[in-house]
Amino acid sequence: MAAENGAAALSADEKLTLIKRNLQEVLGEDKLQQILKERDVKVYWGTATTGKPHIAYFVPMSKIADFLKAGCEVTILFADLHAYLDNMKAPWELLEQRVKYYESAIKAMLRSIGVPLEKLKFIKGTEFQLSREYTLDVYRLSSIVTEHDAKKAGAEVVKQVSHPLLSGLLYPGLQALDEEYLKVDAQFGGVDQRKIFTFAEKYLPHLGFQKRIHLMNPMVPGLTGSKMSSSDEDSKIDLLDSPAQVKKKLKRAFCEPGNVEDNGVLSFCKHVLFPLRGSQDFVVNRAPENGGDLKFGTYEALEETFAKQELHPGDLKAAVEGYLNQLLAPIRADFDTPEMKKLVSKAYPVEKKKPGGANSGVGAGAGGAENEINPGRLDLRVGKILSVEKHPEADSLYVETVDLGEESPRTVISGLAGLVPMEELQDRLGVFVCNLKPVKMRGIPSCAMLMCASVDEPRAVEPLNPPEGSAPGDRVFVEGYDSGSPDAELNPKKKIFEKIQPDFRTSADCVAEWQGSPMMTKLGNITCASLKGAPIK
């Protein structure tokens, strides 16, 4: 009630300012101003239920928050039929599950930023787009729209192929008709929708329907500097990405010192973090030797400081990482239930390989598809070194007999001779990779690999330590990747371990981690004796 009273207390000009904040373009602003003098504006935002929503969706979500503050009546359309028409990005049999996923994800995002859901109307496209009246209007529209205009309207939105399907040509017409059937004053979307919006303005009056207002957000650059896309894994952060995945993707994000153009990190600050923080400062924590903490009351101040190179990209990314994880934490919690995990698997099922294919016998690993590269694919176990001796053919190698909780011990070759005294390895526990393909080293097969932290200058190597109370055969895993089963044997041609291994390191507390998530057993964290921030090999 207080929010309603707050919106009612705003003047028409104040409401207009809120509605237009951070928009790139408004078509029909005169009409918008006239409506605001008489009543509140009715707006709709639609999203085709194709790939998984990602953090760029916070941009329209923050604008929806602005619309509500301005007293607008807001409808959110889950455009399931559009998703199918767009080159069948969502197969017909998955539409219902995709809509459920989108509705759950969008509502979780809105709750995360404090938007009251009871002030919103949610509707599924097929609830009205399959009606007799709507269908007849589609036919009426198709009788006056040229192929050229239909193709041009969808050029920035519908997937472009050399031989377009008729379904893709219908897409812009349906989006135009949605404005009439939802009985709104304005449609809100990205500036990439502009050609569809002008298409609607041209053709709706031919059917006897009024021209609507169009509100356009700028396109927020992805992490690689181009458009953030569901189909480009490197360009976006998924709503369900773990803190470790967020850290990794932000670390790789394009954020050149002093460059404020095509900078996805800065754009996210401008269009999401600053509007949501209101009067609260945006804080960048820095070590005292780096100048101490910085506080920004406006985005313009942040951008100016970054442009002058008085703020390092690493410090900016660390601040964004913290704020972003605050936004994502409640969303992760909402989806961390058996019911929601089942929904995700139904809406976005993993494509199974055919038996006998190139990946036959390769497990899916924890947390994903068969071709996903993550530490859940590694068979990591606690092992006890029963005996150690020098390799007869190589002074730098040890031959170890290791109990890994199996019927018979395995032989393991390690290059620790001269680096770790033999007596320090005898009878100790370690962490072993157990599903590498056995390889002969100077004539003796090695059937597992001992994991060690190591640094080059000065040269030092420390085998990893399982937690106290561990026993041979105990499973070792990375937090967040503990479900599913590891591959039976890693295919050496795929270089799976080689792709995973570079992200293993020790923390400042000597805890073994992968992309910032700890390695552990059921008893606690895996550690090393003293090497901090060291690669694990």
Side-chain angles (χ1 to χ4, degrees):
M1 194 66 179
E4 291 178 0
N5 291 337
L10 296 176
S11 68
D13 287 342
E14 289 171 327
K15 291 180 179 181
L16 180 64
T17 299
L18 267 175
I19 291 171
K20 289 178 58 181
R21 178 166 70 166
N22 283 336
L23 293 180
Q24 181 166 323
E25 186 176 4
V26 177
L27 299 178
E29 185 171 343
D30 291 345
K31 185 175 182 179
L32 176 61
Q33 291 174 341
Q34 185 59 42
I35 293 175
L36 284 171
K37 291 177 182 178
E38 302 169 1
R39 59 172 173 83
D40 289 326
V41 179
K42 299 176 181 179
V43 182
Y44 105 83
W45 173 75
T47 179
T49 52
T50 52
K52 291 181 181 178
H54 43 74
I55 63 163
Y57 278 65
F58 274 115
V59 177
M61 295 303 103
S62 64
K63 276 310 302 174
I64 287 171
D66 282 344
F67 296 153
L68 290 174
K69 290 175 186 174
C72 297
E73 297 178 26
V74 182
T75 297
I76 292 180
L77 169 67
F78 298 112
D80 49 349
L81 197 53
H82 292 72
Y84 180 75
L85 291 175
D86 187 2
N87 210 44
M88 294 181 288
K89 286 182 180 178
W92 193 264
E93 62 274 12
L94 294 181
L95 282 181
E96 183 177 356
Q97 302 302 327
R98 293 272 173 96
V99 169
K100 290 179 180 177
Y101 179 86
Y102 262 69
E103 183 167 0
S104 299
I106 296 298
K107 287 182 176 179
M109 292 180 75
L110 290 167
R111 284 192 294 268
S112 160
I113 63 175
V115 174
L117 300 185
E118 62 272 13
K119 295 184 177 295
L120 296 166
K121 179 181 179 182
F122 297 91
I123 188 168
K124 184 168 64 172
T126 45
E127 290 179 18
F128 64 91
Q129 291 165 347
L130 299 179
S131 69
R132 180 178 184 275
E133 294 77 13
Y134 189 97
T135 302
L136 289 176
D137 279 334
V138 172
Y139 288 144
R140 285 208 297 148
L141 189 60
S142 66
S143 71
I144 58 175
V145 174
T146 65
E147 177 201 9
H148 172 270
D149 281 3
K151 190 173 182 179
K152 178 182 177 182
E156 301 296 326
V157 177
V158 181
K159 184 176 181 180
Q160 298 299 296
V161 293
S162 55
H163 300 287
L165 297 172
L166 179 59
S167 58
L169 300 177
L170 290 174
Y171 188 112
L174 268 67
Q175 186 168 335
L177 286 172
D178 290 342
E179 297 180 350
E180 174 65 23
Y181 277 79
L182 292 173
K183 301 301 178 186
V184 296
D185 304 305
Q187 183 180 176
F188 165 59
V191 74
D192 61 336
Q193 308 263 333
R194 192 182 196 282
K195 291 178 181 177
I196 291 182
F197 293 163
T198 56
F199 173 94
E201 292 187 4
K202 175 181 179 180
Y203 281 103
L204 284 187
H206 286 287
L207 299 181
F209 302 142
Q210 64 176 323
K211 185 189 300 186
R212 263 66 181 193
I213 302 159
H214 294 102
L215 312 169
M216 284 168 275
N217 256 346
M219 299 309 297
V220 175
L223 299 179
T224 55
S226 58
K227 177 182 175 182
M228 195 175 292
S229 167
S230 295
S231 59
D232 184 356
E233 192 64 32
D234 288 335
S235 80
K236 54 98 179 183
I237 292 174
D238 190 88
L239 298 178
L240 302 182
D241 276 349
S242 68
Q245 290 169 311
V246 171
K247 180 185 289 291
K248 179 182 178 182
K249 290 180 179 180
L250 278 174
K251 185 177 180 180
R252 295 180 176 178
F254 176 79
C255 191
E256 186 178 36
N259 186 350
V260 298
E261 302 296 330
D262 296 324
N263 188 324
V265 180
L266 276 176
S267 292
F268 191 75
C269 293
K270 178 178 181 179
H271 294 286
V272 178
L273 297 182
F274 273 85
L276 292 179
R277 296 196 66 72
S279 60
Q280 296 182 41
D281 286 337
F282 180 90
V283 181
V284 178
N285 296 123
R286 301 191 303 183
E289 59 268 26
N290 293 330
D293 296 348
L294 290 173
K295 295 182 180 180
F296 300 96
T298 65
Y299 170 75
E300 290 72 21
L302 171 66
E303 183 181 281
E304 182 181 357
T305 302
F306 188 85
K308 292 179 179 177
Q309 298 191 36
E310 295 172 357
L311 172 60
H312 190 275
D315 293 324
L316 174 62
K317 288 180 180 182
V320 171
E321 178 188 341
Y323 287 124
L324 180 54
N325 277 318
Q326 289 179 21
L327 293 176
L328 295 181
I331 301 173
R332 296 182 189 121
D334 282 353
F335 278 81
D336 192 22
T337 66
E339 294 79 13
M340 296 309 296
K341 289 178 180 178
K342 185 176 182 181
L343 173 60
V344 174
S345 66
K346 283 185 175 181
Y348 299 93
V350 175
E351 183 179 348
K352 296 182 178 179
K353 305 292 183 182
K354 295 180 180 179
N359 288 328
S360 179
V362 178
E370 292 179 358
N371 61 354
E372 189 173 347
I373 305 299
N374 68 51
R377 299 185 66 172
L378 305 182
D379 182 1
L380 300 171
R381 293 186 234 162
V382 174
K384 182 176 182 180
I385 301 174
L386 303 177
S387 65
V388 189
E389 58 186 34
K390 280 284 192 71
H391 193 295
E393 301 295 331
D395 292 339
S396 62
L397 301 179
Y398 285 144
V399 180
E400 301 145 11
T401 303
V402 182
D403 178 6
L404 290 161
E406 301 168 324
E407 289 187 12
S408 303
R410 295 194 194 189
T411 299
V412 178
I413 311 294
S414 65
L416 300 180
L419 297 171
V420 179
M422 195 180 298
E423 57 271 17
E424 288 188 14
L425 294 176
Q426 181 69 48
D427 295 324
R428 72 158 288 159
L429 296 176
V431 175
F432 293 82
V433 185
C434 298
N435 59 342
L436 297 170
K437 185 176 181 179
V439 59
K440 281 190 176 182
M441 301 183 71
R442 296 292 185 93
I444 298 177
S446 181
C447 300
M449 189 186 82
L450 176 63
M451 299 193 77
C452 301
S454 65
V455 293
D456 294 328
E457 296 293 338
R459 183 71 171 134
V461 179
E462 294 177 357
L464 299 184
N465 298 317
E468 187 176 350
S470 297
D474 284 354
R475 184 185 176 198
V476 177
F477 57 89
V478 173
E479 185 178 52
Y481 298 89
D482 54 337
S483 60
S485 302
D487 291 16
E489 182 177 280
L490 297 174
N491 186 338
K493 293 182 180 179
K494 301 283 186 182
K495 297 190 179 299
I496 296 166
F497 179 74
E498 289 80 357
K499 294 175 182 177
I500 298 171
Q501 181 272 322
D503 287 326
F504 280 110
R505 301 186 71 84
T506 59
S507 71
D509 299 321
C510 295
V511 174
E513 298 178 337
W514 186 79
Q515 293 186 2
S517 294
M519 291 178 68
M520 58 197 308
T521 73
K522 60 186 178 183
L523 298 177
N525 292 338
I526 303 296
T527 60
C528 72
S530 65
L531 296 179
K532 301 177 180 180
I536 297 172
K537 303 177 182 180

